[in-house]
Amino acid sequence: MRIGHGYDSHRFAEGRRLILGGIEIPAERGLDGHSDADAVAHAVTDALLGAAGLGDIGRHFPPGDPQWKDADSIKLLAHAVHLLEARNHQVVNVDVTVVAEAPRIGPHARAMQERLAVVMGISPEHVSVKGKSNEGMGWVGRGEGIAVWAVALIDSVEDLSVVTKGHRDGGAS
Ligand code: MG
């Protein structure tokens, strides 16, 4: 098993939709960015790439690349999952903390969990999305943007078969 950590932050901007975890959340402002600025999808993508030792989101999806302009970040996450699968890695679970003064994340957490789970091919029970305020402190507290932390556990399908074979061999001897 391997663990990965991801972090992302985006600044609020007028005239943008707020997309988090692949879900559009009703809000006065959205987040600024080259893609759709889905900080949850970006943090989870980085956690998965980190767990697999595959670098980071900027290496796979350069921010200046025109093909990722206003990109649906769920597609970036899906691409990362494919990269993992090609290396016999499977996502076990993901835990996400979204830090923002507004809007409230809780009412949208379940929808985000379900969307992220489908993309990663796991049960929504294995995806956790939690919202916190920053108690008015710092740039998050001033409502300048949103910060997201994510951790992901992945398992190697290859290693699993080795473990199973080991048990079999052990039982036969
Ligand atoms: Mg980002």
Side-chain angles (χ1 to χ4, degrees), residues 8-10 42:
D8 196 29
S9 60
H10 281 262
H42 294 175

Side-chain angles (χ1 to χ4, degrees), residues 40-152:
V40 169
H42 294 175
V44 172
T45 301
D46 253 353
L48 295 183
L49 293 172
L54 290 172
D56 64 16
I57 196 167
R59 177 174 128 195
H60 295 275
F61 316 104
D65 190 331
Q67 71 169 310
W68 305 119
K69 173 138 175 61
D70 297 323
D72 178 352
S73 296
I74 284 292
K75 289 183 180 154
L76 310 190
L77 175 60
H79 183 73
V81 171
H82 287 140
L83 290 174
L84 263 63
E85 284 171 353
R87 288 159 179 78
N88 295 325
H89 294 312
Q90 186 180 319
V91 182
V92 177
N93 78 302
V94 169
D95 188 17
V96 181
T97 301
V98 182
V99 190
E101 296 302 310
R104 290 196 58 225
I105 297 303
H108 310 284
R110 181 71 196 177
M112 284 189 233
Q113 286 166 205
E114 287 175 357
R115 185 82 202 275
L116 294 168
V118 166
V119 179
M120 293 186 284
I122 59 177
S123 157
E125 275 62 50
H126 291 181
V127 182
S128 160
V129 176
K130 312 186 296 296
K132 289 184 73 70
S133 88
N134 213 39
E135 301 286 336
M137 296 182 288
W139 59 267
V140 172
R142 291 190 296 272
E144 293 174 17
I146 283 180
V148 181
W149 281 264
V151 287

